[in-house]
Amino acid sequence: MPPLAGVAQTGALPAGPSLTGPVPKHVAIIMDGNGRWAASRGLPRAAGHKAGAEAVTRCLRAARANGVDYLTLYAFSSENWRREPSEVADLTGLLRFYLRHKVAELHREKVKIRFVGEVGRFGQDLCAEMARAEALTEGNSGLTLLLALSYGGRSDIVHAARALAQAVQCGDLAPDAITEDMLARYLLTAGVPDPDVIVRTSGEHRLSNFLLWQSAYAELVFLETLWPDFDEDCFTRVLNIYGRRERRFGARPA
């Protein structure tokens, strides 16, 4: 497996998979590197996406085992619609397969499923599958899994701003009464705490329009590991990187 790399200035990674620090309440992951994983093996991109879906299963297992309350996975960005139609078809086909064959298993494990993004773009059939998954798992008390599908951070903020503007226009809200907390209640992630840590695999060092408002004080961890190679050990090492960070939220150190 390729080596993990936290941000260079964090120093050497803790050795081994043992958890050594506090566990974040909410972990968000930009799953990147499926195409490169496949290309390095002479395989079609579809094989990389399939291997990436298997990594999701390992990630979920690790999140539950370590007591994480919320896990958000950037599964399909609003920009991904620009990819080749064949690749979009492969991705939506995988989504359909997992909705039909994996949701019951997640329900048995008490996972609550929630979708965030412009999911209507996937069509009526897939939207109905997503609605069924959310309804089935709504009452579950275990890990909350948020799948960001056709999601864009900027459009999320625009959506919230439009809702607030409508409330002002209708006379239900005074402009000077708008606060950060109020805007957050109109985001697609309303009711979910902001992520404590955002992870990106494959060596890229950017957020790519993911949870832009919500990531204001998130710790950022960038890994060289390609997403299909992500496993339980990687997850624990991410938690250990997080546990070594000092979170001050803008305050001066003591």
Side-chain angles (χ1 to χ4, degrees):
M1 178 185 301
L4 282 158
V7 180
Q9 57 266 34
T10 62
L13 290 175
S18 300
L19 188 61
T20 59
V23 175
K25 188 179 185 71
H26 184 177
V27 176
I29 303 179
I30 302 170
M31 305 179 295
D32 194 15
N34 291 350
R36 274 169 281 175
W37 184 91
S40 69
R41 290 161 173 77
L43 299 171
R45 290 180 68 86
H49 294 314
K50 186 176 185 297
E54 293 167 359
V56 169
T57 299
R58 296 191 295 269
C59 181
L60 269 167
R61 185 163 55 237
R64 293 175 62 245
N66 284 287
V68 171
D69 293 328
Y70 298 88
L71 177 66
T72 299
L73 301 178
Y74 202 12
F76 192 98
S77 75
S78 54
E79 289 80 14
N80 285 160
W81 291 108
R82 303 172 188 166
R83 294 189 177 186
E84 291 294 327
S86 59
E87 184 173 2
V88 171
D90 289 336
L91 289 166
T92 54
L94 267 177
L95 173 60
R96 182 177 290 104
F97 174 84
Y98 275 84
L99 284 170
R100 291 179 177 174
H101 299 283
K102 299 295 183 179
V103 169
E105 178 182 341
L106 294 176
H107 180 48
R108 288 193 298 271
E109 294 171 350
K110 306 300 182 185
V111 173
K112 180 177 180 177
I113 302 172
R114 180 169 167 183
F115 298 94
V116 294
E118 298 176 6
V119 296
R121 296 188 65 179
F122 287 98
Q124 185 176 355
D125 185 42
L126 269 179
C127 282
E129 296 276 5
M130 287 186 251
R132 280 193 287 270
E134 288 185 325
L136 177 65
T137 63
E138 173 63 30
N140 289 345
S141 57
L143 170 75
T144 296
L145 171 64
L146 288 89
L147 291 172
L149 294 167
S150 191
Y151 176 86
R154 288 181 172 180
S155 63
D156 193 3
I157 296 169
V158 168
H159 174 272
R162 285 176 177 163
L164 288 170
Q166 183 67 34
V168 170
Q169 187 177 42
C170 293
D172 297 328
L173 180 66
D176 58 4
I178 297 173
T179 63
E180 291 183 10
D181 288 341
M182 185 179 295
L183 189 146
R185 291 199 293 272
Y186 285 90
L187 294 171
L188 296 172
T189 54
V192 174
D194 290 341
D196 300 295
V197 56
I198 292 181
V199 182
R200 180 165 188 157
T201 58
S202 85
E204 303 292 347
H205 291 199
R206 56 181 177 273
L207 292 178
S208 294
N209 203 18
F210 181 52
L211 299 179
L212 298 181
W213 176 280
Q214 299 89 331
S215 65
Y217 284 102
E219 296 296 321
L220 304 180
V221 176
F222 300 105
L223 310 180
E224 295 296 327
T225 306
L226 300 176
W227 177 247
D229 290 323
F230 194 92
D231 60 12
E232 293 89 339
D233 182 60
C234 292
F235 195 93
T236 303
R237 287 173 180 264
V238 165
L239 298 187
N240 284 339
I241 293 170
Y242 169 82
R244 296 172 65 202
R245 302 280 179 88
E246 183 180 357
R247 305 188 76 203
R248 296 194 295 270
F249 301 96
R252 299 181 65 180

